[in-house]
Amino acid sequence: MKTLLEPEMDIQNNENQDLHTSDQDHYLQTFRRFPITIDRGEGATVWDINGKSYIDMLAGIAVNNVGHAHPKVVGTIREQAGKITHISNFYLSRPQAELSERLVRLSGLDRVFFTNSGAESVEGAIKIARKYAYSKGRGGTIISMDGCFHGRTIATISTGKASMQTGFGPLPEGFVKVPFNDIQAVHDAIVEAGPDQIAAVLIELIQGEGGINVASPEFVAGLRSLCDNHDILLIVDEIQSGVGRTGKWFASEHYGIKPDIMTLAKGLGGGVPIGAILSTQNVSDAMDYGDHGTTFGGNPLVTATSLAVLDVIEEEQLLEAATAMGEYIRQRITAMNHPAVLQIKGIGLMLGIEFAHETKPMVAALLEEGVLANATAGNVLRLVPPLNITHEELEKAMDAIEKVIGALS
């Protein structure tokens, strides 16, 4: 008989079985799927094809910031699809122009370039940083952090952990890693390479895949100062932490710093594929016509949708909600005082509960209890629900989480 932490994961009905069999027969097998098929969603709740409901504490990995099927977002998609969806970047659309202006205003940066994903945003940021360095007669080395995750393209895996690089060599040169939250290590790497060889430092202020590791204020302040002193660009990856997830539009606001380049994706489109690169005018001036491009990036459909997402966050005061709901999660977990809970990490609704054991069995048990969550960095339970999750939905999810934690021996 299965225990709570060893749930029955069999695929239950014929249609679900057939879909999973088809997936296994035809899709490139790079994902370990959970044995359900999601059919629809509303707010922070989704339903599988059997009609079972789940509270979504993952939000498509911090993507669905305004939940599923938000009426304003759905209405915008329908309206824009009825007008025009794609025109290429030879031509301008109203939604793209309006979104560019909106993001520049929100970020305090000066220029924006639209992409289709987070990895593409980081790739573009690296290109911009290297072009800026080239214009100054400098080298193009990029410093990244241990525990980072910036994507799965060849360049972005070159910034990250070795396990994601195996079998994909030869990798591009010009990438150096240092320990996270260690300003002396960054300084030493700059000195070792030579300050004029470093183009940029690339950092997530809250490491997502790395286990919801939060940069210390002292480290970030020191990093900004170090970059300024050596004319090294600071690239802040806000792909997971941006667009309201931490209770502010961007995580960098918690630290009182302005990056030279910032990358966005995930929550920016509320479920449609859009990313962005933002940069200062000084950095942007290094780029010329033809230096970068995109076919799909920033098309009318995705930029109109993104504008609707930003409207919802403002109109429904979801920055404040993210802070309040994040605090509620912390209070519930803290009140349990369970010995297996080592710490709660993160800001707002980008949270990780670190345990004294692996968390994948907990995620499986939570699925059985009707909650979608995620295990990352081995022993961290990642919680990144929609910013507009209701108190009732969150309470139900936390009851399930407490039940699963309580079943731990």
Side-chain angles (χ1 to χ4, degrees):
M1 183 176 181
K2 297 285 185 180
T3 68
L4 181 63
L5 294 183
E6 296 175 333
E8 183 61 56
M9 299 295 284
D10 293 335
I11 297 173
Q12 295 176 352
N13 71 2
N14 290 335
E15 183 185 11
N16 195 37
Q17 177 69 67
D18 290 346
L19 288 168
H20 277 264
T21 298
S22 177
D23 176 72
Q24 291 161 10
D25 287 345
H26 302 109
Y27 196 87
L28 187 65
Q29 294 297 289
T30 58
F31 301 110
R32 294 187 186 277
R33 310 276 197 189
F34 287 98
I36 62 173
T37 304
I38 303 293
D39 185 54
R40 63 186 178 91
E42 182 178 338
T45 302
V46 300
W47 288 263
D48 65 20
I49 59 174
N50 295 325
K52 180 178 177 178
S53 65
Y54 305 82
I55 304 300
D56 188 358
M57 296 295 285
L58 183 57
I61 316 179
V63 168
N64 302 307
N65 281 13
V66 298
H68 300 278
H70 191 286
K72 182 160 190 166
V73 175
V74 171
T76 298
I77 291 172
R78 286 173 173 162
E79 181 182 357
Q80 187 60 51
K83 290 180 179 179
I84 195 164
T85 58
H86 182 77
I87 56 176
S88 90
N89 282 295
F90 284 124
Y91 314 102
L92 182 63
S93 72
R94 181 182 288 108
Q96 189 186 95
E98 292 178 352
L99 183 59
S100 296
E101 181 180 357
R102 185 87 163 267
L103 289 177
V104 163
R105 175 170 56 82
L106 288 174
S107 68
L109 296 171
D110 302 303
R111 297 281 173 177
V112 62
F113 183 93
F114 292 113
T115 70
N116 306 286
S117 69
E120 191 182 331
S121 294
V122 175
E123 286 261 4
I126 291 169
K127 281 186 68 177
I128 293 170
R130 284 181 166 173
K131 186 66 188 297
Y132 174 82
Y134 175 81
S135 74
K136 301 291 185 179
R138 302 170 60 88
T141 297
I142 307 294
I143 296 176
S144 61
M145 306 290 152
D146 287 342
C148 73
F149 178 82
H150 299 288
R152 293 181 184 271
T153 61
I154 288 294
T156 53
I157 65 171
S158 299
T159 68
K161 56 186 180 182
S163 61
M164 289 190 177
Q165 300 171 357
T166 304
F168 299 110
L171 297 175
E173 298 179 348
F175 295 94
V176 174
K177 278 190 300 180
V178 298
F180 187 61
N181 267 335
D182 187 339
I183 195 64
Q184 186 61 48
V186 180
H187 176 271
D188 292 346
I190 291 171
V191 170
E192 182 176 351
D196 62 345
Q197 295 303 307
I198 307 297
V201 175
L202 172 61
I203 185 174
E204 303 160 274
L205 297 175
I206 306 173
Q207 293 184 330
E209 294 294 323
I212 315 297
N213 304 313
V214 181
S216 71
E218 298 77 16
F219 176 63
V220 176
L223 202 56
R224 179 69 277 182
S225 178
L226 197 57
C227 288
D228 288 341
N229 291 340
H230 294 290
D231 195 22
I232 294 169
L233 301 184
L234 180 59
I235 304 173
V236 175
D237 181 340
E238 295 262 15
I239 288 161
Q240 190 165 156
S241 61
V243 198
R245 178 141 298 280
T246 67
K248 294 187 181 294
W249 281 110
F250 310 107
S252 57
E253 295 176 58
H254 291 283
Y255 296 87
I257 59 117
K258 185 166 83 170
D260 301 296
I261 303 174
M262 180 167 66
T263 60
L264 299 174
K266 288 190 180 289
L268 184 60
V272 300
I274 181 173
I277 311 162
L278 290 119
S279 51
T280 64
Q281 187 63 52
N282 181 46
V283 172
S284 304
D285 284 341
M287 298 294 284
D288 204 350
Y289 296 108
D291 277 350
H292 200 47
T294 175
T295 297
F296 292 106
N299 74 32
L301 183 65
V302 297
T303 49
T305 305
S306 181
L307 284 165
V309 169
L310 299 181
D311 284 344
V312 171
I313 292 173
E314 288 186 338
E315 292 165 3
E316 299 185 9
Q317 299 181 315
L318 297 186
L319 301 184
E320 294 83 354
T323 299
M325 293 301 192
E327 184 57 31
Y328 175 74
I329 293 172
R330 285 179 174 275
Q331 290 172 358
R332 289 285 299 264
I333 297 300
T334 301
M336 284 194 72
N337 194 32
H338 196 284
V341 176
L342 301 181
Q343 62 174 322
I344 308 168
K345 304 185 288 183
I347 305 174
L349 280 177
M350 185 173 178
L351 294 175
I353 307 170
E354 185 177 351
F355 288 86
H357 54 74
E358 291 279 325
T359 49
K360 282 185 179 180
M362 295 182 65
V363 172
L366 284 170
L367 188 70
E368 290 289 310
E369 294 295 322
V371 174
L372 305 184
N374 173 249
T376 188
N379 66 331
V380 175
L381 183 69
R382 175 166 47 176
L383 303 177
V384 284
L387 308 185
N388 60 347
I389 187 171
T390 66
H391 191 273
E392 181 182 7
E393 288 171 322
L394 186 55
E395 189 172 34
K396 183 178 179 181
M398 293 309 300
D399 288 346
I401 290 170
E402 286 188 2
K403 179 180 179 181
V404 169
I405 293 175
L408 297 171
S409 57

